[in-house]
Amino acid sequence: MTSIQRVALVTGGSRGIGRAICVRLARMGMKVGINYVSNPTAAEETLRLIEEAGGGQGFLAPFNVADASAVQEHIKTILDVHGRIDILVNNAGITRDGLVARMKEDDWDSVLDTNLKGAFLCSKVVMRAMMKQKWGRIINIASVVGCTGNSGQVNYSAAKAGLIGLSKSLARELASRGITVNCIAPGYIVTDMTDSLGADVQLALKEQIPLGVLGTPEDVAAAAAFLASDDSAYITGQTLHVNGGMYMV
Ligand code: NAP
């Protein structure tokens, strides 16, 4: 590990999986930027958890990842203030589920804009700084349904499959610059996103999971910690599946 304090930016760091990743990276000694779009109270709680975890350091970074000019402006400010971004975790995501027959164009656009275009926009700005540093880690949070498909989620699964393709292509573009790009594809993880599923759906999901339980945000954060570390130096363009065995590649 370098003696320089690494700076991480986690999109959608205010809640759920993003929050767990923020706390975990801060515990590794990184300074962590907590991005969010609408929920400052939740983001402040993430910051409190970081600071509570043995004097960790964090800062809030409110912007909409789907808005190109906001991404450009806010990431430039982070680079001006903190000097560097070494790790980018593209985690911000939303769902607008429905069968295709009833899905509105706006449901398609908003999911693709946040879950896929957001990762493109943030990576494009952050990678310039990483190229100067000759070191970087980009970690994209995809989903098991980007590999398996899921009825009622054409928009979401298309965005997540797109994220896996984006990661492989960007990994090839950036490999010679000391920057790795990988995906994590979580299965069903207990967060606000899955809380809305009824108890009967959760029970049916558990039956598809060989390990017999839904995952926790910390399960995904452990994988992100590995991909953000020096230990993953020879891994790029890969998708790490964190799903209790429900989908085996
Ligand atoms: P969550 O609890 O619903 O949290 C979503 C996060 O994304 C929040 O921090 C939210 O910020 C942020 N966000 C949403 N739209 C944004 C935007 N336009 N710009 C910036 N931030 C935005 O979700 P989660 O379950 O932790 O999921 C995190 C990631 O894991 C997502 O990409 C999701 O698709 C993926 N994933 C989740 C599961 C699962 O089972 N939970 C499974 C596979 C993959 P605010 O607090 O400001 O709203």
Side-chain angles (χ1 to χ4, degrees), residues 207-227:
E207 279 165 11
Q208 298 171 40
I209 302 171
L211 286 177
V213 285
L214 270 63
T216 65
E218 288 70 26
D219 291 328
V220 182
F226 168 64
L227 290 176

Side-chain angles (χ1 to χ4, degrees), residues 11-19 35-40 42-43 63-67 90-95 114-115 141-145 156 160 163 184-194 217 220:
T11 71
S14 51
R15 294 185 277 124
I17 291 170
R19 171 182 285 171
N35 163 257
Y36 65 98
V37 67
S38 64
N39 199 332
F63 61 88
N64 178 358
V65 296
D67 177 340
N90 286 308
N91 164 80
I94 58 168
T95 51
T114 301
N115 298 12
I141 308 299
S143 167
V144 65
V145 305
Y156 184 80
K160 296 303 187 180
L163 207 44
I184 297 172
Y188 288 94
I189 309 296
V190 180
T191 69
D192 293 346
M193 194 175 266
T194 44
V220 182

Side-chain angles (χ1 to χ4, degrees), residues 67-152:
D67 177 340
S69 52
V71 167
Q72 173 83 34
E73 182 193 324
H74 285 268
I75 292 179
K76 183 180 178 306
T77 304
I78 294 170
L79 290 167
D80 288 347
V81 173
H82 301 283
R84 51 194 302 118
I85 297 176
D86 305 277
I87 292 110
L88 169 65
V89 184
N90 286 308
N91 164 80
I94 58 168
T95 51
R96 296 282 181 276
D97 296 349
L99 296 173
V100 175
R102 285 196 287 272
M103 186 174 285
K104 297 190 179 73
E105 190 179 340
D106 185 54
D107 296 330
W108 172 271
D109 287 344
S110 55
V111 169
L112 270 287
D113 282 356
T114 301
N115 298 12
L116 183 57
K117 193 173 91 175
F120 160 72
L121 293 173
C122 292
S123 302
K124 189 173 158 76
V125 182
V126 169
M127 67 187 231
R128 286 192 212 117
M130 290 178 171
M131 283 159 79
K132 281 194 205 129
Q133 294 160 194
K134 299 187 172 55
W135 197 95
R137 297 275 189 270
I138 298 176
I139 302 165
N140 294 322
I141 308 299
S143 167
V144 65
V145 305
C147 300
T148 61
N150 196 23
S151 175

